[in-house]
Amino acid sequence: MRCFLGLDLSPQTKLAIEQWRDKALPVTRSQIPACNFHITSVFLGDVSMPVLDAICSEVDHLSLPKAEILLNEMGYWSKPRVTFLTSTSPSSELTHIATKLSHIAKRLSVRVEDRRYIPHVTIQRKASHAPPAPIIAPDFTCQFDAIHLFESCSTEKGVRYPILKTWPLV
């Protein structure tokens, strides 16, 4: 199964980001549907059920803090060709969550990227170039009280991210 651990945005925030994107940026064919907006904490990739069960068992015993982020900056990464929203000052709680989950994955021999964690919400994929600066600055406060195990499912209508398991943040 292709999976990741992450944070789900509220439906209201997903719709607000979609509406902002549609007003502030040129419309492209590579727009991510609002239902897919999320923040990945750690990408697990293709993992077997025994490894996934072991990860879930480890997360069951964690006590992770509630977190929030102010999405107030737009960015673009040329190598994966994605446009995203992030924060000029990401919370230490989000980094703490990602670090703890990454350590669990590594301990269970899951290959995890070794690079600085930047919490973000991807809003466009396969963007051939960076979009122009938005005509309206992003300004979305997201609060999180749970971490989720998502599956990445390819369908005829595109990728979907059903939630397989949820853990509360305290």
Side-chain angles (χ1 to χ4, degrees), residues 105-116:
K106 287 178 183 178
R107 246 190 349 264
L108 294 168
S109 300
V110 174
R111 287 183 71 158
V112 175
E113 293 180 346
D114 271 333
R115 63 179 168 197
R116 186 172 66 91

Side-chain angles (χ1 to χ4, degrees), residues 38-40 69 71 77 82 84-86 117-122:
H38 67 275
I39 294 178
T40 300
I69 188 170
L71 298 171
W77 287 317
V82 298
F84 60 91
L85 295 180
T86 191
Y117 178 68
I118 300 173
H120 66 280
V121 175
T122 301

Side-chain angles (χ1 to χ4, degrees), residues 15 26 46 48 64 70 83 90 125 131 133 135-136 148 155 168:
L15 290 175
D46 289 316
S48 66
L64 296 170
L70 172 62
T83 304
R125 269 197 199 349
I135 58 174
I136 305 164
H148 307 282
T155 71

